[in-house]
């Protein structure tokens, strides 16, 4: 269970600073086998926190390190995901496979067309686009997306890309890279992603501090080998 929670979050996430030092974005996203997840991401400076509705767990990026914080039976466990992957061995050291979690994501963007319409989502105006893309199984798909140059959403996108790179050691998916190049961010993408709220309040400063010391995986391994 502990491993499945970070896997679902990372898979969901893989679906230029702009002047805002902090903010929050809530959205729903397709998490493959885990279904639709309702998530809120808050950031202040370079710290980013990801909460999933209905889960006693969240992820926190601080100084380029990704932590998973899980509460079970009133006990809080903090894991440095980088060290967790190292401990898991070569086969498990990679970030969770998207195929394993059932997430469909873009491998290639074939075309992005403006449809000449605008739409408001979460109080933000965006332009409607049709995006033709090739998914990770080689299938060509077409989705309607609402894209915006809203500065807070651009900063959120930049933070999310940093999270993906820090967690997996790989570049974000092609769609995020393409949107970033164009100075755009998604308000919606088909039925796979929808922004539900955008704000400027990241919440209490303590929400970006570790609630406990990370698990000493070296000590755990030594105990298991005795």
């Amino acid at each position: 269970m502990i491993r499945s929670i970070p896997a679902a979050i990372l898979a969901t996430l893989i679906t230029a600073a702009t002047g805002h030092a902090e903010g929050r974005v809530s959205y729903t996203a397709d998490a493959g086998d885990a279904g639709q997840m309702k998530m809120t991401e808050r950031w202040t400076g370079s710290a980013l926190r990801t909460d999933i509705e209905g889960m006693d767990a969240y992820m926190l990026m601080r100084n380029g390190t990704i932590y998973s914080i899980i509460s079970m039976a009133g006990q809080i466990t903090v894991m440095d995901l980088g060290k967790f992957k190292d401990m898991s061995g070569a086969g498990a050291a990679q970030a969770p496979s998207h195929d394993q979690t059932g997430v469909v994501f873009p491998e290639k963007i074939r075309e992005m067309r403006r449809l000449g319409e605008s739409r408001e989502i979460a109080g933000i105006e965006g332009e409607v686009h049709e995006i033709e893309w090739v998914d990770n199984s080689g299938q060509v798909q077409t989705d309607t997306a609402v894209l915006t140059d809203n500065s807070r959403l651009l900063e959120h996108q930049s933070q999310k890309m940093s999270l993906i790179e820090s967690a997996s050691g790989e570049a974000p998916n092609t769609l995020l890279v393409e949107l970033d190049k164009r100075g755009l961010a998604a308000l919606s993408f088909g039925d796979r992603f929808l922004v539900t709220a955008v704000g400027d309040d990241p919440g209490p400063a303590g929400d970006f501090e570790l609630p406990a010391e990370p698990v000493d995986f070296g000590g755990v391994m030594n105990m298991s080998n005795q």
Side-chain angles (χ1 to χ4, degrees):
M1 177 180 177
I2 289 178
R3 294 183 61 184
S4 67
I5 293 173
I9 298 174
L10 286 176
T12 303
L13 289 176
I14 291 179
T15 46
T18 54
H20 295 301
E22 56 190 25
R24 69 167 64 213
V25 173
S26 297
Y27 58 92
T28 59
D30 179 18
D33 296 342
Q36 287 278 324
M37 286 186 171
K38 296 181 179 180
M39 309 176 72
T40 295
E41 290 181 328
R42 297 177 284 150
W43 68 94
T44 180
S46 61
L48 175 70
R49 172 170 168 155
T50 302
D51 291 90
I52 298 179
E53 184 176 296
M55 285 192 180
D56 291 328
Y58 61 94
M59 290 182 67
L60 183 63
M61 178 174 71
R62 286 169 47 93
N63 302 319
T65 300
I66 311 297
Y67 299 95
S68 174
I69 296 91
I70 301 171
S71 177
M72 290 189 297
Q75 182 171 351
I76 295 175
T77 301
V78 178
M79 293 185 292
D80 178 337
L81 292 186
K83 292 183 179 179
F84 178 68
K85 289 186 293 183
D86 292 342
M87 181 198 73
S88 300
Q94 302 300 316
S97 164
H98 308 298
D99 294 333
Q100 290 176 347
T101 55
V103 173
V104 176
F105 62 96
E107 285 280 7
K108 180 180 180 181
I109 305 301
R110 295 181 65 170
E111 190 173 4
M112 191 178 292
R113 300 183 292 270
R114 287 191 181 94
L115 298 184
E117 306 170 26
S118 62
R119 190 176 303 167
E120 184 177 297
I121 296 177
I124 296 173
E125 196 80 11
E127 286 190 278
V128 182
H129 290 66
E130 187 174 76
I131 301 177
E132 185 175 307
W133 53 286
V134 181
D135 68 24
N136 49 310
S137 63
Q139 299 296 310
V140 177
Q141 305 211 32
T142 302
D143 276 296
T144 299
V146 180
L147 308 179
T148 179
D149 61 359
N150 176 270
S151 57
R152 183 160 278 110
L153 282 173
L154 285 171
E155 179 162 329
H156 169 249
Q157 181 171 268
S158 178
Q159 291 275 11
K160 185 157 60 176
M161 291 173 72
S162 295
L163 177 78
I164 294 167
E165 290 174 330
S166 296
S168 68
E170 300 176 357
N173 74 54
T174 305
L175 178 61
L176 286 179
V177 172
E178 182 64 26
L179 291 178
D180 188 61
K181 286 180 181 178
R182 294 173 180 242
L184 295 171
L187 283 162
S188 70
F189 181 64
D191 59 0
R192 307 170 195 278
F193 177 83
L194 176 67
V195 171
T196 56
V198 179
D200 57 7
D201 177 18
D207 285 355
F208 299 92
E209 300 293 333
L210 294 178
E213 289 296 316
V215 172
D216 180 1
F217 288 120
V220 170
M221 292 297 291
N222 287 337
M223 290 178 63
S224 65
N225 290 331
Q226 291 178 358

